[in-house]
């Protein structure tokens, strides 16, 4: 007898889903035959609000686009505004920005460790990594005053200079992280369950990857070496020595390995940044924000976040307020058309692991 | 870099007579074309020039000029150049060609732009709602959509929004009828 397809609603409240969204699955037995992403639970109309605020007030909205890793969004916005205006950024600010971005990357990968392992039932890693992420959040708290949202990278530079003794604290935390990463890797990548559940699951064919606009670790997990940090180096990434790891598996295992290796590169970058950081100004002061007019035109700047390329399009009509601020999130592409494509033929139990490996982040889809 | 930029400008203006070029410093080239040319120029850029990464599609409402502007931002993984393709469409009758057969992810952008600006993409295969639910009003990202009036109309039964000069303690006293303690009175205006 032929099995009849059943509809299964995964989310919006489901421990395996990566936020406020839903995937409507059509399943036959255990196999997904159709998947449809449904969003609309989280719309906060930031882009509409931005049209009614001045350029500086808009900056405070920007970090809210993505909860786990807000800094690349701020960075994209700050750089887009600077490009539009032609504003120079002091050298020290560029180094501090890279430091913040890499710390944010490390912190979000810690959260990803928890999500990826938790989606396969390995809860210990998540408890360890989310605990250790607090050491990075402590650094952010000391530097910016905020743990999750920092509102630190703004047009013209950064909001304040590094506090006294901050560099030593960062280096100390990095030493600790490096030693802890080994523990996570032993627990996750030497685990037979993790290996069996991820190898050959959630495959993205390399030829489909570019066509679907895949970016970031999922693209590098297909063996294609593209990273905004090397393709279009921003800030001081062209002066730093780091590698962009790739894997050939095209599956969850490959993407997890790319991320594992990237964490070590982040630590390497942070050490170099601390070593090379010049002294001097950290902020090129903007005029009175109430009267700060940007020239007519538009700009689009991209930054590499843990989910891939995130970008910010800004258009100005020559007044104090933006005409349009439009954010491009990696998850906007990954979690809708790509996810619907990848999930077909997979097992229900693997859906949330695949979502985690693609870096699904609903706040980026609806801003 | 300048060589590559010159090459792309020559090829595009040679193939598409209506393409207006705007030059920028760095790795950016802008073309402005008529809306009918959009699918052809995007196909050409992708298949012939190697601009195979669609980075972004954005829409801007130029209400004063009674036009919508659509911006397609492409990236070449080999040339490392950003290409912006701009087009303007009539605001009164916003119809546009669908391009999701060129890049699958364009479908998501088009669904959002359709809801938020009311631009009709011909042949777009996405009948379902995307972000909004049961939306009867004007598309909300249009410049003439009045957010405050909408909020008052929709949430008429909620209490007044927090005005800047409002004192929270007085409001609570008014609502509950309770007397303020002496300690708090000192701080009320």
């Amino acid at each position: 007898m032929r099995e009849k397809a059943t509809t299964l609603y995964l989310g919006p409240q489901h421990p395996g889903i990566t936020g406020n969204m839903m995937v409507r699955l059509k399943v036959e037995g255990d196999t997904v035959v159709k998947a449809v992403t449904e969003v609309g639970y989280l719309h906060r109309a930031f882009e509409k609000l931005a049209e009614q605020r001045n350029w500086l007030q808009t900056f405070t909205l920007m970090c809210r686009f993505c909860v786990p890793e807000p800094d690349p969004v701020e960075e994209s916005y700050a750089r887009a505004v600077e490009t539009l205006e032609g504003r120079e950024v002091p050298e020290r600010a560029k180094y501090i920005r890279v430091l913040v971005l890499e710390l944010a990357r490390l912190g979000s990968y810690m959260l990803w460790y928890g999500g990826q392992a938790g989606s396969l039932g390995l809860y210990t890693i998540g408890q360890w990594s989310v605990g250790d992420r607090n050491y990075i959040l402590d650094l952010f708290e000391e530097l910016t005053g905020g743990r999750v949202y920092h509102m630190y990278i703004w047009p013209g530079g950064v909001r304040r200079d590094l506090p006294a003794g901050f560099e030593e604290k960062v280096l100390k935390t990095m030493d600790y992280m490096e030693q802890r990463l080994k523990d996570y890797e032993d627990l996750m990548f030497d685990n037979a369950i993790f290996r069996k559940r991820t190898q050959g699951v959630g495959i993205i064919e390399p030829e489909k990857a570019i066509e679907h606009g895949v970016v970031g670790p999922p693209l590098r997990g297909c063996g294609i070496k593209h990273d905004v940090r090397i393709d279009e180096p921003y800030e001081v990434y062209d002066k730093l020595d780091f590698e962009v790891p790739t894997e050939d598996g095209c599956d969850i295992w490959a993407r997890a390995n790319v991320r594992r290796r990237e964490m070590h590169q982040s630590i390497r970058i942070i050490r170099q940044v601390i070593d090379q950081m010049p002294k001097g100004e950290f902020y090129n002061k903007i005029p009175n924000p109430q009267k700060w007019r940007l020239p007519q035109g538009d700009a689009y700047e991209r930054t590499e976040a843990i989910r891939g390329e995130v970008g910010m399009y800004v258009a100005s009509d020559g007044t104090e307020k933006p005409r349009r601020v439009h954010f491009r999130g990696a998850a906007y592409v990954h979690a809708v058309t790509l996810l619907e494509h990848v999930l077909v033929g997979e097992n229900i139990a693997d859906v949330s692991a695949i979502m985690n490996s693609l870096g699904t982040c609903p706040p980026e889809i609806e801003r | 870099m300048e060589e590559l930029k010159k090459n792309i400008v020559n090829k595009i203006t040679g193939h598409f007579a209506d393409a207006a070029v705007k030059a920028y410093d760095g790795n950016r080239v802008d073309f402005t074309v008529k809306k009918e040319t959009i699918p052809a120029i995007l196909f050409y850029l992708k298949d012939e020039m190697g601009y195979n990464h669609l980075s972004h599609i954005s829409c801007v409402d130029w209400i004063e000029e009674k036009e919508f502007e659509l911006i397609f931002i492409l990236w070449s993984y080999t040339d490392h150049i950003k290409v912006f393709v701009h087009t303007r469409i009539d605001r009164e009758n916003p119809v546009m060609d669908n391009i999701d057969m060129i890049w699958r992810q364009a479908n998501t952008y088009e669904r959002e732009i359709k809801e938020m600006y009311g631009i009709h993409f011909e042949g777009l295969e996405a009948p379902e709602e995307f972000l909004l639910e049961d939306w009867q009003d004007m598309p909300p990202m249009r410049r003439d959509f009045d957010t405050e009036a909408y909020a008052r109309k929709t949430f008429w039964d909620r209490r007044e929004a927090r005005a800047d000069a409002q004192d929270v303690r007085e409001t609570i006293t008014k609502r509950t009828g309770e007397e303020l303690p002496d300690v708090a009175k000192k701080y009320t205006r």
Side-chain angles (χ1 to χ4, degrees):
Chain A
M1 210 173 85
R2 201 174 167 277
E3 277 176 293
K4 217 176 146 226
T6 328
T7 309
L8 182 75
Y9 293 90
L10 197 76
Q13 270 108 25
H14 187 280
I17 209 102
T18 49
N20 309 46
M21 66 180 277
M22 173 170 80
V23 188
R24 197 174 66 223
L25 303 169
K26 207 161 243 180
V27 289
E28 277 187 11
D30 269 357
T31 314
V32 177
V33 291
K34 195 183 176 211
V36 179
T37 302
E38 296 226 354
V39 288
Y41 299 98
L42 198 62
H43 201 269
R44 296 146 294 168
F46 289 144
E47 287 167 2
K48 186 76 183 172
L49 286 171
E51 290 177 8
Q52 297 158 13
R53 279 155 176 73
N54 65 37
W55 290 98
L56 192 65
Q57 288 171 325
T58 303
F59 146 77
T60 61
L61 296 171
M62 290 301 117
C63 56
R64 268 96 186 163
F65 280 139
C66 180
V67 188
E69 200 191 10
D71 302 274
V73 191
E74 289 179 15
E75 162 76 17
S76 298
Y77 176 73
R79 228 149 15 88
V81 170
E82 284 153 9
T83 311
L84 194 56
E85 201 196 8
R87 180 171 290 275
E88 289 288 317
V89 179
E91 196 67 9
R92 184 175 172 81
K94 290 183 179 175
Y95 276 92
I96 298 178
R97 282 178 175 189
V98 173
L99 175 68
V100 169
L101 288 171
E102 291 303 322
L103 280 173
R105 191 185 312 279
L106 213 49
S108 331
Y109 273 147
M110 295 281 188
L111 213 55
W112 163 81
Y113 251 122
Q116 186 71 77
S119 67
L120 296 167
L122 312 168
Y123 297 116
T124 313
I125 307 169
Q127 283 160 8
W128 286 4
S129 67
V130 173
D132 284 337
R133 176 171 170 260
N134 276 318
Y135 292 114
I136 294 176
L137 297 189
D138 286 346
L139 291 176
F140 275 131
E141 192 176 5
E142 187 175 344
L143 179 64
T144 70
R147 288 174 79 81
V148 178
Y149 297 133
H150 310 134
M151 289 180 278
Y152 183 68
I153 300 173
W154 67 357
V158 292
R159 270 178 66 207
R160 50 179 81 91
D161 207 349
L162 301 183
F166 187 72
E167 287 96 333
E168 287 76 54
K169 276 184 193 157
V170 173
L171 290 176
K172 225 172 165 182
T173 313
M174 287 309 113
D175 292 342
Y176 173 75
M177 286 295 163
E178 202 163 37
Q179 165 208 333
R180 279 298 273 176
L181 285 183
K182 279 200 190 78
D183 295 346
Y184 303 155
E185 285 159 16
D186 288 349
L187 204 55
M188 190 148 147
F189 291 90
D190 286 351
N191 187 326
I193 297 174
F194 186 73
R195 192 179 277 259
K196 279 211 159 164
R197 290 285 304 273
T198 56
Q199 285 184 340
V201 176
I203 294 209
I204 304 171
E205 306 85 350
E207 57 274 15
K208 287 264 179 198
I210 297 271
E211 188 190 313
H212 273 271
V214 180
V215 287
L219 185 66
R220 297 194 281 277
C222 300
I224 304 169
K225 191 175 177 177
H226 289 312
D227 187 312
V228 185
R229 291 176 293 173
I230 50 166
D231 283 358
E232 198 187 5
Y234 47 93
E235 309 302 357
V236 289
Y237 277 110
D238 46 352
K239 295 180 192 164
L240 301 170
D241 178 30
F242 65 101
E243 282 163 27
V244 175
T246 57
E247 298 275 337
D248 295 327
C250 313
D251 51 8
I252 304 181
W253 174 260
R255 282 167 234 149
N257 269 296
V258 167
R259 292 185 167 108
R260 171 177 69 89
R261 288 165 60 190
E262 258 182 38
M263 289 178 84
H264 291 281
Q265 297 301 323
S266 281
I267 295 179
R268 190 172 155 193
I269 294 175
I270 289 170
R271 287 190 176 135
Q272 286 177 50
V273 166
I274 298 264
D275 190 39
Q276 297 176 12
M277 187 164 314
K279 294 231 174 325
E281 285 293 308
F282 60 91
Y283 177 38
N284 179 4
K285 198 171 182 321
I286 58 163
N288 178 359
Q290 302 293 349
K291 292 173 189 159
W292 185 28
R293 290 183 181 181
L294 259 60
Q296 270 191 6
D298 59 355
Y300 178 69
E301 292 294 343
R302 313 181 304 154
T303 308
E304 185 78 17
I306 65 156
R307 302 167 303 284
E309 159 198 338
V310 298
M312 187 69 74
Y313 175 81
V314 297
S316 167
D317 49 9
T319 59
E320 299 89 348
K321 292 172 183 174
R323 172 59 71 138
R324 178 80 162 113
V325 175
H326 193 175
F327 174 59
R328 178 242 199 260
Y332 193 75
V333 171
H334 288 177
V336 189
T337 43
L338 178 72
L339 187 69
E340 288 170 359
H341 168 76
V342 173
L343 285 184
V344 174
E346 299 291 348
N347 201 307
I348 301 174
D350 295 331
V351 171
S352 87
I354 294 171
M355 288 181 72
N356 269 296
S357 80
L358 293 179
T360 307
C361 177
E364 276 189 354
I365 306 173
E366 27 187 337
R367 283 88 48 196
Chain B
M1 181 67 77
E2 292 305 314
E3 286 278 301
L4 289 167
K5 276 164 74 178
K6 212 174 272 171
N7 177 33
I8 175 173
V9 168
N10 287 342
K11 278 201 170 162
I12 291 293
T13 45
H15 267 84
F16 302 96
D18 64 333
V21 186
K22 197 170 174 198
Y24 280 90
D25 292 342
N27 60 347
R28 173 177 174 179
V29 185
D30 274 41
F31 297 105
T32 308
V33 294
K34 288 201 191 95
K35 74 168 185 179
E36 292 79 16
T37 321
I38 284 289
I41 194 170
L42 295 181
F43 256 125
Y44 184 81
L45 279 163
K46 185 192 176 197
D47 292 344
E48 306 290 326
M49 309 283 298
Y51 284 78
N52 50 10
H53 178 54
L54 173 71
S55 193
H56 197 44
I57 303 177
S58 190
C59 181
V60 186
D61 183 359
W62 298 103
I63 188 167
E64 302 85 355
E65 294 150 42
K66 294 198 172 62
E67 278 177 329
F68 287 122
E69 183 181 15
L70 282 169
I71 303 103
F72 301 82
I73 303 171
L74 313 183
W75 171 255
S76 164
Y77 282 123
T78 45
D79 294 356
H80 294 182
I81 290 179
K82 265 188 284 206
V83 168
F84 288 53
V85 182
H86 301 253
T87 189
R88 295 264 182 149
I89 58 175
D90 182 22
R91 208 168 173 281
E92 301 301 312
N93 179 28
V95 182
M96 185 67 204
D97 288 318
N98 171 29
I99 60 142
D100 71 357
M101 73 299 265
I102 312 178
W103 288 281
R104 185 70 193 122
Q105 77 266 29
N107 186 281
T108 318
Y109 287 98
E110 288 176 357
R111 280 170 78 186
E112 186 178 340
I113 292 172
K114 181 184 155 201
E115 274 187 4
M116 293 297 176
Y117 288 93
I119 296 177
H120 177 69
F121 288 91
E122 278 178 334
L124 178 67
E125 259 184 72
E128 287 170 61
E129 296 159 321
F130 186 50
L131 296 175
L132 304 174
E133 198 177 359
D134 294 334
W135 189 262
Q136 310 287 343
D137 223 301
M138 175 195 287
M141 280 298 282
R142 289 194 179 192
R143 296 285 286 189
D144 46 355
F145 177 77
D146 187 343
T147 38
E148 199 190 337
Y150 174 79
R152 284 188 190 283
K153 192 178 76 186
T154 315
F155 306 108
W156 54 272
D157 56 339
R158 312 269 177 97
R159 65 189 171 86
E160 272 294 287
R162 192 184 69 199
D164 281 334
Q166 195 180 349
D167 192 305
V168 181
R169 282 165 293 244
E170 277 175 21
T171 318
I172 295 171
T173 325
K174 252 184 243 165
R175 208 184 314 147
T176 58
E178 280 174 33
E179 187 70 16
L180 269 184
D182 290 343
V183 188
K185 264 182 197 159
K186 201 165 68 179
Y187 299 102
T188 40
R189 266 170 278 177

